[in-house]
Amino acid sequence: MSEEDGGRGDAEPLPGSFRDPAGFVFRREGTLFRQVNEIHRPHYDRLMSSGLYEDLVGRGLLIPHAEVDGSPAVRQGASLVLRPEPLRFVSYPYEWSFSQLRDAALATLRIQEAALDHGMSLRDASAFNVQFHEGRPLLIDTLSFEELPEGRPWVAYRQFCQHFLAPLALMSYRDARLGRLSSVHLDGIPLDLAVGLLPKSARLRPGLQLHLFSHAKSQRRHASDAEPAAASRGKFSMQAFRGVLDSLRGSIEGLGLPEDVSVWEDYYGTAAHYAEEAMARKEELVRKFLAEIQPDSVWDLGANVGRFSKLATEGGAFTVAFDVDHACVDHAYRDAKTAGETKLLPLVLDLTNPSPAIGWSNAERATVAERGPADAVLALALVHHLAIANNVPLPAVADYLAALGRHLVIEFVPKDDQMVQVLLRNREDVFPHYTAERFTEALDSRFEIVHREPIADSGRVLFLGRRR
């Protein structure tokens, strides 16, 4: 091992964890580790000795870890190596529904309040430091804590407002799809942009007026100052600090989604595309196929509110339920939360424009495929939306699904089905290749077809495939 490389050895530093001088995350032989650097060691020791670590882990607000004897990824400046509890799936804020982002924000505030109780504070408040683990949001960056100097304001206040309050306000007042702005602004939505998009009525909420509108104005006024405006006003009392947190919590708790009705949220409740017997048969077949595969992980694509995702979790599989409709994802998340479901993670995803590789060197945030493959993929009542509504050729659909999972449970919906006819109602039928034969041919090119079962009283067919 050369001195020139700093002693990296066989470690693989994660591309999304390189900016922080306090430490970083790396992988060695498939196991995830976190390196603590000497510069941050006093703060880490305070976290562990103050009781804050036990408090947060006990409340499910911080990822647990173990201190290990393994060598660091980079020896120069290294102090300690941790092995955090592994996550089943890494998601990003721009893939969360409104309720998920709100819960993540409130969890961050609870963490900050607990830190104050132990003489510490969060030095950053990035939404990317939060993950959904066993059904709840928690902090995964153990190095986010620092000892709090007396009289100093919250250094992460701006970041919290940009990462949490601004997108939540935009999603609440304008459109839930504005949560996708977090994929463009990785350090949070700039406050001047947020207040420019918000309606004047948002000013009537005192919390939004203070933390967004006045905050944005203050940023503009002090943009060229040599030191932060808060620092120039003297010491910040603990009472004022807690008052800011209380105000932020009230502002967030007061936000909700508009009562707009989703096109798809009641898809299974009101749509007449399935007879009761056909739906029962479809559920029976999905259960049968999943029982045969016995997957540990399932990705349900076009999951709607998660009806079939629940069949996977009932079988013990950790399941990510993807859907493009924010209302459906929010519905699925709230249902899972109420039920105490720990194996289901609903996420917002447009399969025709899936989450890309973004950030520095296009590597900080991974694509969906890079976070797989899953043991099994469900693609139920999905292909006609891709092939007809979005003009994706059937071979391209098969290629992408093969990149996502080792097994595939997929439904073919024929052209004479009423739901396909709805898609064709206002456009010319330019899809002569959308046939059962061409579908089977495309599927067979990437998967060994294990089962092919008709769904009685529907004309639809369910396939089980194993990737070649």
Side-chain angles (χ1 to χ4, degrees):
M1 185 180 298
S2 68
E3 293 298 325
E4 189 174 317
D5 68 0
R8 289 182 184 273
D10 58 351
E12 301 173 33
L14 267 62
S17 178
F18 70 95
R19 298 178 184 269
D20 190 355
F24 58 91
V25 176
F26 65 95
R27 195 178 300 278
R28 178 179 284 129
E29 296 180 356
T31 300
L32 194 71
F33 297 96
R34 182 180 294 277
Q35 177 168 316
V36 183
N37 288 335
E38 291 174 354
I39 192 173
H40 192 76
R41 184 61 186 265
H43 301 290
Y44 171 79
D45 288 343
R46 177 65 180 270
L47 167 70
M48 302 305 294
S49 64
S50 66
L52 178 57
Y53 172 81
E54 289 84 356
D55 181 16
L56 294 177
V57 169
R59 293 163 60 187
L61 291 171
L62 177 65
I63 195 77
H65 71 257
E67 297 181 5
V68 297
D69 294 330
S71 60
V74 178
R75 288 180 179 173
Q76 185 176 2
S79 178
L80 188 66
V81 176
L82 313 177
R83 186 181 65 242
E85 184 172 297
L87 299 170
R88 293 302 306 266
F89 187 87
V90 173
S91 61
Y92 303 128
Y94 45 83
E95 298 168 337
W96 300 344
S97 72
F98 174 85
S99 294
Q100 287 173 305
L101 182 60
R102 181 170 59 183
D103 282 356
L106 295 174
T108 301
L109 293 177
R110 288 195 295 273
I111 292 166
Q112 176 59 38
E113 289 165 343
L116 292 182
D117 293 338
H118 295 82
M120 301 198 77
S121 181
L122 287 172
R123 61 191 180 92
D124 51 43
S126 169
F128 290 98
N129 286 343
V130 178
Q131 288 295 322
F132 284 84
H133 183 56
E134 297 183 350
R136 65 173 67 186
L138 50 64
L139 183 70
I140 61 167
D141 188 359
T142 311
L143 307 187
S144 285
F145 299 95
E146 64 180 0
E147 296 184 63
L148 178 63
E150 183 180 354
R152 192 182 71 181
W154 191 19
V155 296
Y157 171 64
R158 173 197 61 80
Q159 195 175 44
F160 181 89
C161 291
Q162 293 184 176
H163 276 250
F164 292 109
L165 185 57
L168 284 169
L170 290 171
M171 294 170 82
S172 177
Y173 275 90
R174 288 301 191 191
D175 194 300
R177 290 170 293 184
L178 288 175
R180 289 286 297 172
L181 283 175
S182 297
S183 67
V184 179
H185 301 282
L186 293 183
D187 194 29
I189 299 175
L191 298 188
D192 62 335
L193 174 61
V195 299
L197 294 174
L198 285 169
K200 292 182 179 179
S201 58
R203 290 179 175 271
L204 301 178
R205 289 183 181 261
L208 299 187
Q209 172 61 40
L210 173 64
H211 301 298
L212 294 184
F213 291 93
S214 296
H215 192 171
K217 185 176 180 180
S218 177
Q219 282 185 335
R220 290 193 296 270
R221 185 166 58 247
H222 297 284
S224 60
D225 290 359
E227 62 177 346
S232 66
R233 290 196 292 267
K235 289 194 173 183
F236 196 72
S237 72
M238 186 60 67
Q239 181 180 1
F241 203 139
R242 293 187 185 275
V244 168
L245 299 180
D246 287 341
S247 178
L248 287 169
R249 183 191 306 103
S251 301
I252 290 167
E253 290 177 340
L255 295 172
L257 281 176
E259 295 298 324
D260 295 338
V261 178
S262 165
V263 174
W264 302 106
E265 193 174 1
D266 197 29
Y267 181 71
Y268 293 114
T270 60
H273 57 288
Y274 273 117
E276 185 176 337
E277 296 81 4
M279 178 59 76
R281 175 60 174 162
K282 180 176 175 179
E283 290 184 345
E284 177 188 346
L285 288 172
V286 171
R287 281 195 182 95
K288 172 187 171 182
F289 291 170
L290 289 174
E292 181 171 332
I293 302 167
Q294 294 189 329
D296 183 57
S297 61
V298 172
W299 290 1
D300 187 359
L301 309 179
N304 195 260
V305 296
R307 177 169 182 164
F308 289 90
S309 304
K310 293 174 184 176
L311 299 184
T313 61
E314 288 170 6
F318 173 78
T319 305
V320 185
F322 296 105
D323 201 274
V324 69
D325 190 295
H326 284 74
C328 289
V329 174
D330 207 71
H331 184 139
Y333 171 72
R334 287 183 278 110
D335 278 358
K337 179 182 174 182
T338 300
E341 175 60 67
T342 61
K343 290 182 176 293
L344 181 62
L345 176 60
L347 292 175
V348 177
L349 180 74
D350 181 355
L351 273 177
T352 64
N353 183 26
S355 300
I358 55 177
W360 177 254
S361 192
N362 292 114
E364 283 189 84
R365 311 297 172 215
T367 68
V368 175
E370 288 170 339
R371 287 173 272 171
D375 290 333
V377 168
L378 302 182
L380 307 173
L382 174 69
V383 172
H384 56 297
H385 291 284
L386 299 176
I388 292 181
N390 291 281
N391 291 59
V392 181
L394 291 174
V397 173
D399 287 345
Y400 189 57
L401 295 179
L404 300 183
R406 301 179 182 92
H407 295 85
L408 176 65
V409 179
I410 189 168
E411 180 179 11
F412 178 72
V413 181
K415 191 178 284 188
D416 59 2
D417 186 278
Q418 96 174 52
M419 298 308 291
V420 178
Q421 289 301 306
V422 168
L423 297 178
L424 291 170
R425 185 174 297 161
N426 296 314
R427 63 177 307 176
E428 182 184 357
D429 184 353
V430 292
F431 307 99
H433 301 303
Y434 185 80
T435 65
E437 293 73 23
R438 289 296 183 91
F439 172 83
T440 304
E441 179 182 311
L443 188 63
D444 188 57
S445 69
R446 299 308 305 268
F447 294 88
E448 174 192 352
I449 298 176
V450 180
H451 294 294
R452 173 178 177 167
E453 297 278 358
I455 302 175
D457 300 323
S458 72
R460 301 182 177 201
V461 182
L462 205 64
F463 294 79
L464 170 61
R466 182 184 298 115
R467 189 173 64 186
R468 294 187 183 279

